[in-house]
Amino acid sequence: MRDDGRKDQLGSPSSPRQNSIQLNGAAESGLNHTGASWQLPSQAPSPDPVPNRTASREQWDGKYEFLLSCLGYCVGLGNVWRFPYLCYRNGGGVFLIPYFLMLFVTGVPLFLMELCLGQYGAAGPIAVWKCCPLLKGIGIGMVCVAVLVSLYYNVIIAWTFYYLGSSFQSPLPWSCDALANAAICNSSSGESLSPSEIFWNERVLGVVNSEGLHDPGPVRPPLALCLLAAWIIVFLCMLKGIHSAGKVVYVTATFPYFVLIVLIIRGVTLEGSLQGIAFYLTPDWRRLASAQVWNDAASQIFYSLGIGVGGVLSMASYNKFDNNVIRDTVIIATGNCLSSFFAGFAIFSVLGHMAWRRGVPVANVAVSGKYSIGIGVAYAERENSRLAARISGFDICPGLAFVAYPEALALLPGSAFWSVLFFLMLFMLGIDTLFGNIEGITTAVLDEFPQLRGNAKYKSLFLAVLCFCFYLMGLLLVTDGGIYWFTLIDSFSTSFGLIIITLFMCIGISFFYGVNQFCQDIIDMIQHCPPWCSKVLLYFKACWVVFTPFLLLFILCYIFIEMYNTSLHYGSYVYPRWGKALGVCMASICCLQILIWAIVAIYKETGTLKERFHKTIRPLNSWRTNNGAGRVQGSMDTERLEGLFTVTLTEMDFNAMTWEEGCDGMRNSEGT
């Protein structure tokens, strides 16, 4: 038996054992201390684990609920807007080359890592780090990122509600058929704003009444009501946890695909649609030499899969122990990428028709000096016939989603119907992603305070208080100057802080917990693992140890370079230095949790600094109690770490000396 309370790699305590004692997932014979060997340990398959989950922890009612929840979480607004935008910005169809390369080297390995961590540990983003207490700050950092993302993400749903309600008018209030817009549309001045831009800036945002970040102005009542409705829907859908959210996703995760198919069919039948599709896919091979293309491909994969926010890990924690995580990873990653690719046809076929109606190139419709298009803070300027653009943030695209495409829909016959359908799709895409973010937060808290999980009344009250607090904080983002704060949070909440968190997660599992032990954990879950499984795991080991950390470092360096060389904009507004510093502080707080809680973990231990370090990278004895691991019998003292978001230890979490003595006793008894 292992001296850290984990089971031997051969399975249960009664199984035959190798002569070498396992330390942190790596046998002393044949593996280095980090466990980063390139060959899986030669050993017999583990016997089937004996699940022993606590009755208070829920499980998905079916595997399809989990798959649809993950697919809905990953397929968000960024798949519909960010991917098509990056495609034509970075060479059209040639962008698919770096995109799929980054998918297989970065996206899929990290996604699988989170799925495996959550499912094997049956715990949320904080409690799961019983596998390596030194890195508990990674989980707390994930929760911090999820809080920031949830804060601004529901504002997008509020905007969607506003447009959805306005879509039931005929003619649409942002179309040229509306009487209020007749003078604007008949104006011969090329510098005047379009009706859709005026509706967005004046009627929806009210940004014309604010001077900038320092001048938020009053709360806009219509948006405040829409935001309240959005949080009420989130509360009701998640009232019973995964049992209620798992039923909702049957609609919210599938309806957007129905709308996309309808929009594609309608779009390709329009005059000029092929011009838009050609603009979307025409390759520019010279773009492959640009570092920005490769960074955009990596960031798109990273953000669209929702890695590092805790949502994937939390949803996987409610899986059955023997769920096939490799199969689920392939299904979800494939569905996510195909959704992104096909969404481009729906978008650019309609924009091509819009360009044909106006007699202008598609580039002047999709990206112009008027529109603020991109992810969060994305602006476009034309200098010497070159498009200069900057992208950062999670997966929001206000310019295309609320200006360009609604204006294109207004040109179609039956525009109100298409507008209602389109904004319903946006609502479904956004709410699914928000479900995953909130699930990551609630799971982390409920794992730390299990008394809430066991009491339905307290659990509902906690969710209500959480949603209400988010609503109060979100009111800042629905003021006249709220879009400036929205852009600031969007730009930095998922910036370098999220990359650092994910980088440490990859390094921690590969070199502290042990990449070989992690692969063996996957085999234990899949149980009857076919021969191809071990070969696939060799590929993932190479990614986790070498390729994925290298690419994350590349993205991190690129972000820092861009952050230093580029000022933060929203349209023509340039953010002051103090505003940008505030954004850097937000991102820093998230990733600094790793350092803070690592220091706390080392301080709590005894011995020399080296001994303390080694103790904090060894899994706690209760890391996995439902996989058939044996219990040490006898009277033993427990130790408990106090403080907010600490790992709650059980009677199995003993100090290292006592545990080693217990292990020796069990080995001696087994020898007899």
Side-chain angles (χ1 to χ4, degrees):
M1 177 174 292
R2 294 180 52 196
D3 63 343
D4 54 8
R6 288 283 321 224
K7 68 174 184 173
D8 186 270
Q9 287 186 342
L10 290 178
S12 62
S14 60
S15 302
R17 306 178 184 281
Q18 294 175 320
N19 293 328
S20 58
I21 297 176
Q22 300 297 324
L23 292 175
N24 196 31
E28 289 182 344
S29 59
L31 294 178
N32 56 32
H33 175 69
T34 64
S37 172
W38 294 101
Q39 297 295 327
L40 284 173
S42 176
Q43 53 191 266
S46 301
D48 292 349
V50 181
N52 183 31
R53 291 177 184 247
T54 57
S56 60
R57 189 174 185 85
E58 309 96 327
Q59 285 188 354
W60 295 100
D61 293 333
K63 63 179 180 180
Y64 295 111
E65 291 187 6
F66 169 70
L67 287 174
L68 287 175
S69 296
C70 284
L71 193 61
Y73 172 67
C74 296
V75 180
L77 300 174
N79 297 73
V80 178
W81 299 112
R82 191 175 194 260
F83 178 83
Y85 175 77
L86 293 179
C87 243
Y88 76 75
R89 174 190 166 189
N90 292 308
V94 78
F95 180 71
L96 296 177
I97 296 176
Y99 177 76
F100 282 106
L101 181 62
M102 295 297 178
L103 170 68
F104 290 117
V105 177
T106 304
V108 174
L110 288 174
F111 193 84
L112 176 62
M113 178 175 284
E114 284 206 34
L115 279 186
C116 294
L117 267 179
Q119 181 172 309
Y120 192 87
I126 298 177
V128 79
W129 289 101
K130 288 182 178 182
C131 68
C132 183
L134 180 73
L135 299 178
K136 185 181 64 176
I138 292 177
I140 299 176
M142 286 182 174
V143 173
C144 293
V145 173
V147 168
L148 291 174
V149 172
S150 301
L151 177 62
Y152 75 78
Y153 208 96
N154 216 13
V155 175
I156 306 302
I157 300 177
W159 294 340
T160 302
F161 273 153
Y162 192 94
Y163 270 86
L164 183 61
S166 302
S167 298
F168 287 96
Q169 305 177 36
S170 185
L172 294 173
W174 57 83
S175 69
C176 285
D177 294 332
L179 294 178
N181 300 326
I184 301 173
C185 295
N186 295 329
S187 174
S188 59
S189 173
E191 298 299 324
S192 61
L193 298 177
S194 67
S196 62
E197 290 175 285
I198 294 176
F199 183 84
W200 168 246
N201 291 323
E202 297 183 9
R203 294 273 299 276
V204 180
L205 299 181
V207 66
V208 294
N209 303 319
S210 174
E211 296 181 358
L213 200 64
H214 64 284
D215 180 29
V219 172
R220 300 186 64 78
L223 284 184
L225 290 176
C226 291
L227 184 63
L228 178 62
W231 279 115
I232 290 176
I233 291 176
V234 171
F235 170 75
L236 294 176
C237 290
M238 301 195 65
L239 186 58
K240 295 184 178 180
I242 61 172
H243 294 302
S244 56
K247 301 299 185 293
V248 174
V249 294
Y250 279 106
V251 176
T252 57
T254 57
F255 182 76
Y257 290 99
F258 166 75
V259 176
L260 276 179
I261 293 173
V262 172
L263 289 176
I264 289 175
I265 294 174
R266 177 53 178 157
V268 296
T269 61
L270 297 173
E271 191 73 27
S273 60
L274 293 181
Q275 178 185 357
I277 294 174
F279 182 82
Y280 170 50
L281 293 178
T282 300
D284 181 4
W285 298 100
R286 296 172 299 177
R287 295 292 296 163
L288 286 177
S290 172
Q292 183 181 21
V293 175
W294 295 88
N295 177 76
D296 286 347
S299 61
Q300 171 62 14
I301 289 293
F302 193 86
Y303 297 135
S304 66
L305 288 175
I307 299 168
V309 187
V312 173
L313 194 153
S314 297
M315 288 187 287
S317 70
Y318 298 104
N319 271 338
K320 294 181 179 179
F321 180 75
D322 59 353
N323 180 62
N324 192 328
V325 286
I326 296 181
R327 176 202 61 198
D328 291 351
T329 298
V330 173
I331 293 174
I332 296 169
T334 302
N336 175 70
C337 294
L338 289 179
S339 302
S340 300
F341 180 69
F342 285 108
F345 291 95
I347 303 303
F348 280 94
S349 59
V350 176
L351 292 181
H353 174 69
M354 184 178 178
W356 175 80
R357 290 279 298 264
R358 291 186 171 184
V360 297
V362 179
N364 291 351
V365 173
V367 180
S368 70
K370 298 178 183 179
Y371 298 141
S372 171
I373 298 179
I375 311 305
V377 55
Y379 59 93
E381 301 170 348
R382 292 198 173 273
E383 299 175 355
N384 301 324
S385 301
R386 292 184 60 191
L387 176 65
R390 175 179 178 268
I391 302 242
S392 67
F394 200 68
D395 60 346
I396 311 302
C397 191
L400 275 174
F402 298 104
V403 178
Y405 201 74
E407 183 176 347
L409 292 176
L411 301 176
L412 302 180
S415 57
F417 168 77
W418 297 109
S419 184
V420 169
L421 206 61
F422 170 72
F423 286 109
L424 273 176
M425 179 186 71
L426 288 190
F427 165 72
M428 301 292 185
L429 290 171
I431 203 72
D432 274 344
T433 301
L434 193 59
F435 284 165
N437 292 333
I438 298 298
E439 188 62 58
I441 299 171
T442 56
T443 299
V445 176
L446 293 178
D447 284 347
E448 296 302 312
F449 303 97
Q451 62 271 23
L452 294 177
R453 187 185 297 278
N455 190 308
K457 179 180 178 181
Y458 290 161
K459 183 178 177 181
S460 301
L461 182 61
F462 162 70
L463 182 61
V465 171
L466 181 68
C467 292
F468 184 68
C469 290
F470 271 123
Y471 171 70
L472 292 181
M473 292 186 293
L475 289 177
L476 175 63
L477 307 184
V478 292
T479 59
D480 287 340
I483 188 63
Y484 298 121
W485 287 95
F486 172 92
T487 301
L488 180 70
I489 298 174
D490 173 47
S491 301
F492 287 98
S493 62
T494 54
S495 181
F496 64 88
L498 183 61
I499 304 296
I500 292 175
I501 289 172
T502 310
L503 176 62
F504 272 88
M505 178 183 71
C506 187
I507 294 175
I509 293 298
S510 298
F511 297 98
F512 292 167
Y513 180 70
V515 70
N516 285 312
Q517 178 62 52
F518 191 65
C519 290
Q520 185 61 45
D521 292 345
I522 298 174
I523 294 176
D524 286 347
M525 288 189 291
I526 300 178
Q527 294 188 2
H528 304 292
C529 185
W532 61 265
C533 181
S534 297
K535 297 179 181 179
V536 171
L537 287 179
L538 287 175
Y539 161 74
F540 283 118
K541 286 175 65 177
C543 291
W544 290 328
V545 174
V546 179
F547 300 117
T548 302
F550 172 79
L551 286 173
L552 290 177
L553 283 174
F554 165 75
I555 299 172
L556 189 62
C557 293
Y558 191 89
I559 289 176
F560 282 133
I561 293 173
E562 283 293 294
M563 187 185 304
Y564 179 79
N565 293 329
T566 310
S567 57
L568 186 61
H569 288 249
Y570 177 77
S572 59
Y573 174 75
V574 180
Y575 279 72
R577 183 172 298 179
W578 67 266
K580 192 173 180 179
L582 181 61
V584 172
C585 288
M586 283 191 300
S588 300
I589 288 174
C590 296
C591 60
L592 281 177
Q593 300 300 321
I594 302 173
L595 177 62
I596 294 172
W597 290 95
I599 294 174
V600 171
I602 292 176
Y603 176 77
K604 293 284 186 178
E605 296 294 343
T606 58
T608 65
L609 183 60
K610 183 178 180 180
E611 290 172 343
R612 293 184 180 194
F613 175 78
H614 283 294
K615 288 179 181 179
T616 57
I617 66 174
R618 291 164 57 182
L620 297 179
N621 303 327
S622 61
W623 154 235
R624 187 69 188 182
T625 59
N626 60 339
N627 63 352
R631 293 178 179 270
V632 177
Q633 299 178 355
S635 176
M636 299 186 179
D637 297 330
T638 62
E639 70 174 318
R640 184 177 298 272
L641 301 179
E642 301 295 339
L644 184 62
F645 292 120
T646 61
V647 175
T648 302
L649 307 185
T650 68
E651 67 275 5
M652 293 185 60
D653 295 313
F654 311 111
N655 58 59
M657 181 178 299
T658 307
W659 177 248
E660 290 171 0
E661 293 173 356
C663 290
D664 292 337
M666 291 196 68
R667 281 195 290 270
N668 293 333
S669 63
E670 288 175 356
T672 60

